[in-house]
Amino acid sequence: MKILAVNAGSSSLKFQLLNMPEETEITSGLVERIGYDNAVFVIKVNGQKVSKEQTILDHKVAVELVIKGLIENKIIDSLDEIKGVGHRVVQGGEIFKDSVVITDQVIKDIESLNDLAPLHNPANITGIKAFQAILPNVIQVAVFDTTFHQTMKEDAYLYSAPYEWYTKYGVRKYGFHGTSHQFVSQRAMELLDNPKAKIIVAHLGNGASLCAVDSGKSVDTSMGLTPLDGIPMGTRSGSIDPSVLMLVSQKENRSYADVLDDLNKRSGYLGVSGISNDSRDIVDNMNEGHKRATLAYKIQIKRIADFIGSYYVYMGGLDAICFTAGIGENAPIVRNDVIEAIKVLGAKIDPVENQKRGEHLISSKDSKIKVFVIPTNEEVMIAREVMRLNK
Ligand code: AMP
């Protein structure tokens, strides 16, 4: 059965067509710069990326193009072959404790959360509506980045701030990257053959978050009300004293929103190093002795270790740490240095295994905590949810 997994942003739309339940990719691609004259449509045909630049006015045109691309390239013979569409939706608030079949009411409920994710949820809705228009009789499912973390207890998700902010405005920790944390922790439980395992997933990409998973449930995570919170990332600061906003806005005569933009787009690796948001550039420069690149790197490692230590204590132990996403899957040096930073917990890396690629165990035999690399696959997780709800 063919299922489409879709991730719509404000000016982009990524898709993957999967064969289910085999969980194999048939094709994938993306449309970028939607709304512009120089939009690009990329689709994989026989494993090769084919791209075309053209004007793409809106998401509906983008979706039409995707469908046309699937048919013209003989990936499918007709629309009827697509049996379901799963949409990544960033913010499900406290309304969505599970993935859900999309109805008019679901769309209204997602829209009611726009204040909590003003850049993401409206774009996700645009993608959903575009697919509804073109595939009106096909089941559409919303899979939320936040749902997996809805199992956190109050002591983990509430900020120590005026309680009314929570009741009136929904100010609390929601957490993100939920589909990735769920996918990776499920796989780790399989590898450990232990459904009660205590696991930390380190999703380290351009956006990065950690998640503490106990018996398959998220019990804490590093991102908060928004994906700015937690560990430092490519361009995001991670957790920071909010008083910084006031000080910098006064000194530079700028609005809070403007300074917040610095924390989202000009901090993290980029802000500290002054060089790049890309971990490869940071590591290369660090190896050449660049002081601020080294500092950017070290700050991130320290903060990751801080979170791992706190989750270890909160869960009362730890069976496994799993590295995933762009950096977690591809940067042995980061994995090595994180494990080195938490060696007091008894975790040890096998330097030979750590250099290998793909899913594997990288801890040494005498490590008290298993350390895995598990490539994430959010699209498979989304397609699984479509299959589960398509009964
Ligand atoms: P993601 O957001 O998961 O796509 O991850 C993006 C991050 O992964 C960027 O910071 C990249 O530098 C990093 N990354 C991707 N490939 C590699 C690689 N081969 N070695 C080190 N880092 C990588």
Side-chain angles (χ1 to χ4, degrees), residues 177 203-208 233-234 269 276-283 324-334 357 376 378:
H177 293 139
H203 177 113
L204 307 179
N206 206 14
M233 309 173 215
Y269 278 162
S276 169
N277 66 317
D278 192 305
S279 76
R280 285 164 287 200
D281 298 333
I282 298 298
V283 170
T324 196
I327 300 170
E329 291 169 30
N330 296 302
I333 182 173
V334 173
R357 301 187 66 82
T376 193
E378 292 167 273

PDB file of all heavy atoms in Angstrom, residues 177 203-208 233-234 269 276-283 324-334 357 376 378, ligand 1:
ATOM      1  N   HIS A 177      10.349  17.332  18.006  1.00  0.00           N
ATOM      2  CA  HIS A 177      11.041  16.152  17.457  1.00  0.00           C
ATOM      3  C   HIS A 177      10.419  14.854  17.970  1.00  0.00           C
ATOM      4  O   HIS A 177      11.088  13.812  18.035  1.00  0.00           O
ATOM      5  CB  HIS A 177      12.546  16.125  17.845  1.00  0.00           C
ATOM      6  CG  HIS A 177      13.380  17.203  17.233  1.00  0.00           C
ATOM      7  ND1 HIS A 177      14.361  17.872  17.927  1.00  0.00           N
ATOM      8  CD2 HIS A 177      13.405  17.732  15.990  1.00  0.00           C
ATOM      9  CE1 HIS A 177      14.948  18.760  17.144  1.00  0.00           C
ATOM     10  NE2 HIS A 177      14.362  18.706  15.956  1.00  0.00           N
ATOM     11  N   HIS A 203      18.767  13.683  19.694  1.00  0.00           N
ATOM     12  CA  HIS A 203      18.497  14.058  18.294  1.00  0.00           C
ATOM     13  C   HIS A 203      19.333  15.303  18.030  1.00  0.00           C
ATOM     14  O   HIS A 203      18.974  16.411  18.444  1.00  0.00           O
ATOM     15  CB  HIS A 203      16.999  14.333  18.112  1.00  0.00           C
ATOM     16  CG  HIS A 203      16.636  14.797  16.731  1.00  0.00           C
ATOM     17  ND1 HIS A 203      15.865  14.045  15.870  1.00  0.00           N
ATOM     18  CD2 HIS A 203      16.929  15.928  16.060  1.00  0.00           C
ATOM     19  CE1 HIS A 203      15.722  14.690  14.732  1.00  0.00           C
ATOM     20  NE2 HIS A 203      16.347  15.850  14.826  1.00  0.00           N
ATOM     21  N   LEU A 204      20.491  15.103  17.387  1.00  0.00           N
ATOM     22  CA  LEU A 204      21.415  16.220  17.176  1.00  0.00           C
ATOM     23  C   LEU A 204      21.485  16.542  15.689  1.00  0.00           C
ATOM     24  O   LEU A 204      22.178  15.875  14.920  1.00  0.00           O
ATOM     25  CB  LEU A 204      22.812  15.852  17.701  1.00  0.00           C
ATOM     26  CG  LEU A 204      22.899  15.355  19.152  1.00  0.00           C
ATOM     27  CD1 LEU A 204      24.337  15.010  19.514  1.00  0.00           C
ATOM     28  CD2 LEU A 204      22.342  16.390  20.119  1.00  0.00           C
ATOM     29  N   GLY A 205      20.734  17.532  15.285  1.00  0.00           N
ATOM     30  CA  GLY A 205      20.770  18.014  13.911  1.00  0.00           C
ATOM     31  C   GLY A 205      20.961  19.509  13.969  1.00  0.00           C
ATOM     32  O   GLY A 205      21.434  20.039  14.980  1.00  0.00           O
ATOM     33  N   ASN A 206      20.560  20.203  12.930  1.00  0.00           N
ATOM     34  CA  ASN A 206      20.622  21.659  12.982  1.00  0.00           C
ATOM     35  C   ASN A 206      19.730  22.153  14.123  1.00  0.00           C
ATOM     36  O   ASN A 206      20.083  23.032  14.889  1.00  0.00           O
ATOM     37  CB  ASN A 206      20.205  22.223  11.633  1.00  0.00           C
ATOM     38  CG  ASN A 206      20.826  23.570  11.402  1.00  0.00           C
ATOM     39  OD1 ASN A 206      21.757  23.982  12.105  1.00  0.00           O
ATOM     40  ND2 ASN A 206      20.294  24.288  10.452  1.00  0.00           N
ATOM     41  N   GLY A 207      18.540  21.557  14.235  1.00  0.00           N
ATOM     42  CA  GLY A 207      17.740  21.669  15.458  1.00  0.00           C
ATOM     43  C   GLY A 207      18.115  20.471  16.311  1.00  0.00           C
ATOM     44  O   GLY A 207      18.397  19.402  15.758  1.00  0.00           O
ATOM     45  N   ALA A 208      18.165  20.625  17.617  1.00  0.00           N
ATOM     46  CA  ALA A 208      18.627  19.493  18.429  1.00  0.00           C
ATOM     47  C   ALA A 208      17.857  19.427  19.740  1.00  0.00           C
ATOM     48  O   ALA A 208      17.575  20.465  20.346  1.00  0.00           O
ATOM     49  CB  ALA A 208      20.123  19.632  18.705  1.00  0.00           C
ATOM     50  N   MET A 233      22.134  24.945  19.544  1.00  0.00           N
ATOM     51  CA  MET A 233      21.991  24.259  18.240  1.00  0.00           C
ATOM     52  C   MET A 233      22.782  25.006  17.171  1.00  0.00           C
ATOM     53  O   MET A 233      23.618  25.834  17.489  1.00  0.00           O
ATOM     54  CB  MET A 233      20.503  24.201  17.878  1.00  0.00           C
ATOM     55  CG  MET A 233      19.686  23.652  19.001  1.00  0.00           C
ATOM     56  SD  MET A 233      17.915  23.715  18.756  1.00  0.00           S
ATOM     57  CE  MET A 233      17.404  24.018  20.460  1.00  0.00           C
ATOM     58  N   GLY A 234      22.480  24.731  15.902  1.00  0.00           N
ATOM     59  CA  GLY A 234      23.190  25.382  14.802  1.00  0.00           C
ATOM     60  C   GLY A 234      23.125  26.896  14.897  1.00  0.00           C
ATOM     61  O   GLY A 234      24.146  27.583  14.844  1.00  0.00           O
ATOM     62  N   TYR A 269      26.010  27.463  17.470  1.00  0.00           N
ATOM     63  CA  TYR A 269      27.301  27.336  16.776  1.00  0.00           C
ATOM     64  C   TYR A 269      27.656  28.634  16.046  1.00  0.00           C
ATOM     65  O   TYR A 269      28.775  29.122  16.110  1.00  0.00           O
ATOM     66  CB  TYR A 269      27.206  26.262  15.689  1.00  0.00           C
ATOM     67  CG  TYR A 269      27.359  24.817  16.107  1.00  0.00           C
ATOM     68  CD1 TYR A 269      26.916  23.810  15.241  1.00  0.00           C
ATOM     69  CD2 TYR A 269      27.959  24.444  17.297  1.00  0.00           C
ATOM     70  CE1 TYR A 269      27.060  22.466  15.554  1.00  0.00           C
ATOM     71  CE2 TYR A 269      28.100  23.101  17.624  1.00  0.00           C
ATOM     72  CZ  TYR A 269      27.661  22.119  16.751  1.00  0.00           C
ATOM     73  OH  TYR A 269      27.802  20.797  17.056  1.00  0.00           O
ATOM     74  N   SER A 276      29.941  29.603  11.349  1.00  0.00           N
ATOM     75  CA  SER A 276      28.989  28.756  10.630  1.00  0.00           C
ATOM     76  C   SER A 276      28.034  28.073  11.609  1.00  0.00           C
ATOM     77  O   SER A 276      28.352  27.886  12.785  1.00  0.00           O
ATOM     78  CB  SER A 276      29.774  27.686   9.850  1.00  0.00           C
ATOM     79  OG  SER A 276      28.920  26.692   9.343  1.00  0.00           O
ATOM     80  N   ASN A 277      26.871  27.669  11.069  1.00  0.00           N
ATOM     81  CA  ASN A 277      25.933  26.875  11.874  1.00  0.00           C
ATOM     82  C   ASN A 277      26.135  25.382  11.625  1.00  0.00           C
ATOM     83  O   ASN A 277      25.450  24.548  12.198  1.00  0.00           O
ATOM     84  CB  ASN A 277      24.489  27.239  11.514  1.00  0.00           C
ATOM     85  CG  ASN A 277      24.142  26.833  10.098  1.00  0.00           C
ATOM     86  OD1 ASN A 277      24.946  27.029   9.188  1.00  0.00           O
ATOM     87  ND2 ASN A 277      22.977  26.266   9.903  1.00  0.00           N
ATOM     88  N   ASP A 278      27.065  25.042  10.741  1.00  0.00           N
ATOM     89  CA  ASP A 278      27.236  23.645  10.323  1.00  0.00           C
ATOM     90  C   ASP A 278      28.309  22.969  11.169  1.00  0.00           C
ATOM     91  O   ASP A 278      29.441  23.460  11.252  1.00  0.00           O
ATOM     92  CB  ASP A 278      27.619  23.618   8.836  1.00  0.00           C
ATOM     93  CG  ASP A 278      27.532  22.217   8.264  1.00  0.00           C
ATOM     94  OD1 ASP A 278      28.183  21.309   8.825  1.00  0.00           O
ATOM     95  OD2 ASP A 278      26.824  22.034   7.270  1.00  0.00           O
ATOM     96  N   SER A 279      27.965  21.824  11.741  1.00  0.00           N
ATOM     97  CA  SER A 279      28.898  21.172  12.673  1.00  0.00           C
ATOM     98  C   SER A 279      30.216  20.802  11.978  1.00  0.00           C
ATOM     99  O   SER A 279      31.269  20.793  12.608  1.00  0.00           O
ATOM    100  CB  SER A 279      28.266  19.951  13.311  1.00  0.00           C
ATOM    101  OG  SER A 279      28.242  18.885  12.417  1.00  0.00           O
ATOM    102  N   ARG A 280      30.150  20.511  10.661  1.00  0.00           N
ATOM    103  CA  ARG A 280      31.395  20.151   9.958  1.00  0.00           C
ATOM    104  C   ARG A 280      32.381  21.319   9.956  1.00  0.00           C
ATOM    105  O   ARG A 280      33.565  21.142  10.199  1.00  0.00           O
ATOM    106  CB  ARG A 280      31.087  19.725   8.520  1.00  0.00           C
ATOM    107  CG  ARG A 280      30.483  18.343   8.463  1.00  0.00           C
ATOM    108  CD  ARG A 280      29.843  18.068   7.143  1.00  0.00           C
ATOM    109  NE  ARG A 280      28.598  18.817   6.995  1.00  0.00           N
ATOM    110  CZ  ARG A 280      27.645  18.508   6.128  1.00  0.00           C
ATOM    111  NH1 ARG A 280      27.786  17.473   5.342  1.00  0.00           N
ATOM    112  NH2 ARG A 280      26.548  19.224   6.068  1.00  0.00           N
ATOM    113  N   ASP A 281      31.853  22.543   9.713  1.00  0.00           N
ATOM    114  CA  ASP A 281      32.724  23.731   9.720  1.00  0.00           C
ATOM    115  C   ASP A 281      33.275  23.976  11.116  1.00  0.00           C
ATOM    116  O   ASP A 281      34.430  24.372  11.282  1.00  0.00           O
ATOM    117  CB  ASP A 281      31.935  24.978   9.285  1.00  0.00           C
ATOM    118  CG  ASP A 281      31.425  24.837   7.858  1.00  0.00           C
ATOM    119  OD1 ASP A 281      32.048  24.103   7.084  1.00  0.00           O
ATOM    120  OD2 ASP A 281      30.383  25.452   7.540  1.00  0.00           O
ATOM    121  N   ILE A 282      32.418  23.750  12.111  1.00  0.00           N
ATOM    122  CA  ILE A 282      32.844  23.991  13.495  1.00  0.00           C
ATOM    123  C   ILE A 282      33.987  23.042  13.852  1.00  0.00           C
ATOM    124  O   ILE A 282      35.026  23.455  14.377  1.00  0.00           O
ATOM    125  CB  ILE A 282      31.647  23.822  14.476  1.00  0.00           C
ATOM    126  CG1 ILE A 282      30.551  24.848  14.181  1.00  0.00           C
ATOM    127  CG2 ILE A 282      32.096  23.883  15.938  1.00  0.00           C
ATOM    128  CD1 ILE A 282      30.957  26.296  14.346  1.00  0.00           C
ATOM    129  N   VAL A 283      33.794  21.763  13.522  1.00  0.00           N
ATOM    130  CA  VAL A 283      34.822  20.768  13.861  1.00  0.00           C
ATOM    131  C   VAL A 283      36.114  21.033  13.068  1.00  0.00           C
ATOM    132  O   VAL A 283      37.213  21.006  13.628  1.00  0.00           O
ATOM    133  CB  VAL A 283      34.290  19.336  13.620  1.00  0.00           C
ATOM    134  CG1 VAL A 283      35.413  18.302  13.723  1.00  0.00           C
ATOM    135  CG2 VAL A 283      33.187  19.011  14.625  1.00  0.00           C
ATOM    136  N   THR A 324      21.143  10.307  17.097  1.00  0.00           N
ATOM    137  CA  THR A 324      20.457  10.305  15.814  1.00  0.00           C
ATOM    138  C   THR A 324      20.505  11.696  15.177  1.00  0.00           C
ATOM    139  O   THR A 324      20.998  12.643  15.784  1.00  0.00           O
ATOM    140  CB  THR A 324      19.000   9.802  15.987  1.00  0.00           C
ATOM    141  OG1 THR A 324      18.475   9.462  14.693  1.00  0.00           O
ATOM    142  CG2 THR A 324      18.090  10.842  16.621  1.00  0.00           C
ATOM    143  N   ALA A 325      19.983  11.798  13.945  1.00  0.00           N
ATOM    144  CA  ALA A 325      19.923  13.029  13.127  1.00  0.00           C
ATOM    145  C   ALA A 325      21.309  13.382  12.562  1.00  0.00           C
ATOM    146  O   ALA A 325      22.296  12.688  12.852  1.00  0.00           O
ATOM    147  CB  ALA A 325      19.311  14.194  13.894  1.00  0.00           C
ATOM    148  N   GLY A 326      21.371  14.468  11.773  1.00  0.00           N
ATOM    149  CA  GLY A 326      22.569  14.795  10.976  1.00  0.00           C
ATOM    150  C   GLY A 326      23.880  14.679  11.724  1.00  0.00           C
ATOM    151  O   GLY A 326      24.818  14.019  11.261  1.00  0.00           O
ATOM    152  N   ILE A 327      23.970  15.299  12.884  1.00  0.00           N
ATOM    153  CA  ILE A 327      25.222  15.256  13.655  1.00  0.00           C
ATOM    154  C   ILE A 327      25.340  13.921  14.401  1.00  0.00           C
ATOM    155  O   ILE A 327      26.379  13.262  14.363  1.00  0.00           O
ATOM    156  CB  ILE A 327      25.284  16.444  14.652  1.00  0.00           C
ATOM    157  CG1 ILE A 327      25.221  17.774  13.884  1.00  0.00           C
ATOM    158  CG2 ILE A 327      26.525  16.364  15.517  1.00  0.00           C
ATOM    159  CD1 ILE A 327      25.031  19.001  14.769  1.00  0.00           C
ATOM    160  N   GLY A 328      24.257  13.527  15.056  1.00  0.00           N
ATOM    161  CA  GLY A 328      24.278  12.289  15.844  1.00  0.00           C
ATOM    162  C   GLY A 328      24.627  11.070  15.007  1.00  0.00           C
ATOM    163  O   GLY A 328      25.305  10.146  15.472  1.00  0.00           O
ATOM    164  N   GLU A 329      24.193  11.064  13.735  1.00  0.00           N
ATOM    165  CA  GLU A 329      24.445   9.898  12.875  1.00  0.00           C
ATOM    166  C   GLU A 329      25.792   9.968  12.172  1.00  0.00           C
ATOM    167  O   GLU A 329      26.328   8.946  11.760  1.00  0.00           O
ATOM    168  CB  GLU A 329      23.337   9.788  11.801  1.00  0.00           C
ATOM    169  CG  GLU A 329      21.990   9.417  12.379  1.00  0.00           C
ATOM    170  CD  GLU A 329      20.850   9.563  11.369  1.00  0.00           C
ATOM    171  OE1 GLU A 329      21.089   9.388  10.163  1.00  0.00           O
ATOM    172  OE2 GLU A 329      19.720   9.848  11.799  1.00  0.00           O
ATOM    173  N   ASN A 330      26.320  11.193  11.999  1.00  0.00           N
ATOM    174  CA  ASN A 330      27.492  11.353  11.118  1.00  0.00           C
ATOM    175  C   ASN A 330      28.750  11.916  11.766  1.00  0.00           C
ATOM    176  O   ASN A 330      29.758  12.059  11.083  1.00  0.00           O
ATOM    177  CB  ASN A 330      27.123  12.283   9.954  1.00  0.00           C
ATOM    178  CG  ASN A 330      26.043  11.694   9.086  1.00  0.00           C
ATOM    179  OD1 ASN A 330      26.208  10.611   8.561  1.00  0.00           O
ATOM    180  ND2 ASN A 330      24.927  12.393   8.957  1.00  0.00           N
ATOM    181  N   ALA A 331      28.679  12.292  13.026  1.00  0.00           N
ATOM    182  CA  ALA A 331      29.854  12.936  13.621  1.00  0.00           C
ATOM    183  C   ALA A 331      30.385  12.116  14.807  1.00  0.00           C
ATOM    184  O   ALA A 331      30.009  12.356  15.961  1.00  0.00           O
ATOM    185  CB  ALA A 331      29.503  14.355  14.066  1.00  0.00           C
ATOM    186  N   PRO A 332      31.302  11.159  14.522  1.00  0.00           N
ATOM    187  CA  PRO A 332      31.855  10.329  15.609  1.00  0.00           C
ATOM    188  C   PRO A 332      32.495  11.169  16.705  1.00  0.00           C
ATOM    189  O   PRO A 332      32.426  10.816  17.884  1.00  0.00           O
ATOM    190  CB  PRO A 332      32.924   9.477  14.906  1.00  0.00           C
ATOM    191  CG  PRO A 332      32.591   9.512  13.458  1.00  0.00           C
ATOM    192  CD  PRO A 332      31.830  10.780  13.202  1.00  0.00           C
ATOM    193  N   ILE A 333      33.091  12.301  16.352  1.00  0.00           N
ATOM    194  CA  ILE A 333      33.782  13.127  17.348  1.00  0.00           C
ATOM    195  C   ILE A 333      32.798  13.653  18.394  1.00  0.00           C
ATOM    196  O   ILE A 333      33.090  13.672  19.589  1.00  0.00           O
ATOM    197  CB  ILE A 333      34.578  14.280  16.672  1.00  0.00           C
ATOM    198  CG1 ILE A 333      35.323  15.093  17.722  1.00  0.00           C
ATOM    199  CG2 ILE A 333      33.732  15.167  15.825  1.00  0.00           C
ATOM    200  CD1 ILE A 333      36.262  16.149  17.165  1.00  0.00           C
ATOM    201  N   VAL A 334      31.597  14.045  17.934  1.00  0.00           N
ATOM    202  CA  VAL A 334      30.590  14.559  18.874  1.00  0.00           C
ATOM    203  C   VAL A 334      30.139  13.431  19.802  1.00  0.00           C
ATOM    204  O   VAL A 334      30.052  13.603  21.022  1.00  0.00           O
ATOM    205  CB  VAL A 334      29.387  15.171  18.118  1.00  0.00           C
ATOM    206  CG1 VAL A 334      28.275  15.552  19.090  1.00  0.00           C
ATOM    207  CG2 VAL A 334      29.830  16.379  17.300  1.00  0.00           C
ATOM    208  N   ARG A 357      29.297   3.373  10.073  1.00  0.00           N
ATOM    209  CA  ARG A 357      28.084   4.106   9.699  1.00  0.00           C
ATOM    210  C   ARG A 357      26.858   3.219   9.870  1.00  0.00           C
ATOM    211  O   ARG A 357      26.952   2.009   9.956  1.00  0.00           O
ATOM    212  CB  ARG A 357      28.182   4.568   8.249  1.00  0.00           C
ATOM    213  CG  ARG A 357      29.386   5.479   8.012  1.00  0.00           C
ATOM    214  CD  ARG A 357      29.353   6.047   6.628  1.00  0.00           C
ATOM    215  NE  ARG A 357      28.219   6.939   6.439  1.00  0.00           N
ATOM    216  CZ  ARG A 357      28.200   8.215   6.817  1.00  0.00           C
ATOM    217  NH1 ARG A 357      29.248   8.754   7.393  1.00  0.00           N
ATOM    218  NH2 ARG A 357      27.136   8.952   6.625  1.00  0.00           N
ATOM    219  N   THR A 376      17.400   8.160  12.326  1.00  0.00           N
ATOM    220  CA  THR A 376      15.981   8.448  12.540  1.00  0.00           C
ATOM    221  C   THR A 376      15.223   8.316  11.224  1.00  0.00           C
ATOM    222  O   THR A 376      15.815   8.365  10.136  1.00  0.00           O
ATOM    223  CB  THR A 376      15.790   9.850  13.145  1.00  0.00           C
ATOM    224  OG1 THR A 376      14.441   9.964  13.607  1.00  0.00           O
ATOM    225  CG2 THR A 376      16.094  10.975  12.158  1.00  0.00           C
ATOM    226  N   GLU A 378      11.548   9.885  10.381  1.00  0.00           N
ATOM    227  CA  GLU A 378      10.265  10.476  10.752  1.00  0.00           C
ATOM    228  C   GLU A 378       9.182  10.110   9.740  1.00  0.00           C
ATOM    229  O   GLU A 378       8.013   9.960  10.098  1.00  0.00           O
ATOM    230  CB  GLU A 378      10.420  11.995  10.883  1.00  0.00           C
ATOM    231  CG  GLU A 378      11.289  12.333  12.093  1.00  0.00           C
ATOM    232  CD  GLU A 378      11.771  13.768  12.141  1.00  0.00           C
ATOM    233  OE1 GLU A 378      12.817  14.063  11.551  1.00  0.00           O
ATOM    234  OE2 GLU A 378      11.104  14.577  12.778  1.00  0.00           O
TER     235      GLU A 378
HETATM  236  P1  AMP B   1      19.753  17.644  10.283  1.00  0.00           P
HETATM  237  O1  AMP B   1      19.110  18.899  10.822  1.00  0.00           O
HETATM  238  O2  AMP B   1      19.375  16.410  11.026  1.00  0.00           O
HETATM  239  O3  AMP B   1      19.636  17.500   8.801  1.00  0.00           O
HETATM  240  O4  AMP B   1      21.336  17.817  10.573  1.00  0.00           O
HETATM  241  C1  AMP B   1      22.090  18.868  10.052  1.00  0.00           C
HETATM  242  C2  AMP B   1      23.440  18.877  10.740  1.00  0.00           C
HETATM  243  O5  AMP B   1      24.090  17.625  10.512  1.00  0.00           O
HETATM  244  C3  AMP B   1      24.394  19.965  10.251  1.00  0.00           C
HETATM  245  O6  AMP B   1      24.932  20.674  11.355  1.00  0.00           O
HETATM  246  C4  AMP B   1      25.492  19.172   9.568  1.00  0.00           C
HETATM  247  O7  AMP B   1      26.729  19.743   9.748  1.00  0.00           O
HETATM  248  C5  AMP B   1      25.462  17.842  10.261  1.00  0.00           C
HETATM  249  N1  AMP B   1      26.012  16.810   9.384  1.00  0.00           N
HETATM  250  C6  AMP B   1      25.481  16.318   8.257  1.00  0.00           C
HETATM  251  N2  AMP B   1      26.325  15.421   7.690  1.00  0.00           N
HETATM  252  C7  AMP B   1      27.419  15.365   8.471  1.00  0.00           C
HETATM  253  C8  AMP B   1      28.664  14.642   8.436  1.00  0.00           C
HETATM  254  N3  AMP B   1      28.932  13.772   7.452  1.00  0.00           N
HETATM  255  N4  AMP B   1      29.540  14.850   9.433  1.00  0.00           N
HETATM  256  C9  AMP B   1      29.286  15.709  10.423  1.00  0.00           C
HETATM  257  N5  AMP B   1      28.140  16.412  10.523  1.00  0.00           N
HETATM  258  C10 AMP B   1      27.230  16.263   9.566  1.00  0.00           C
END
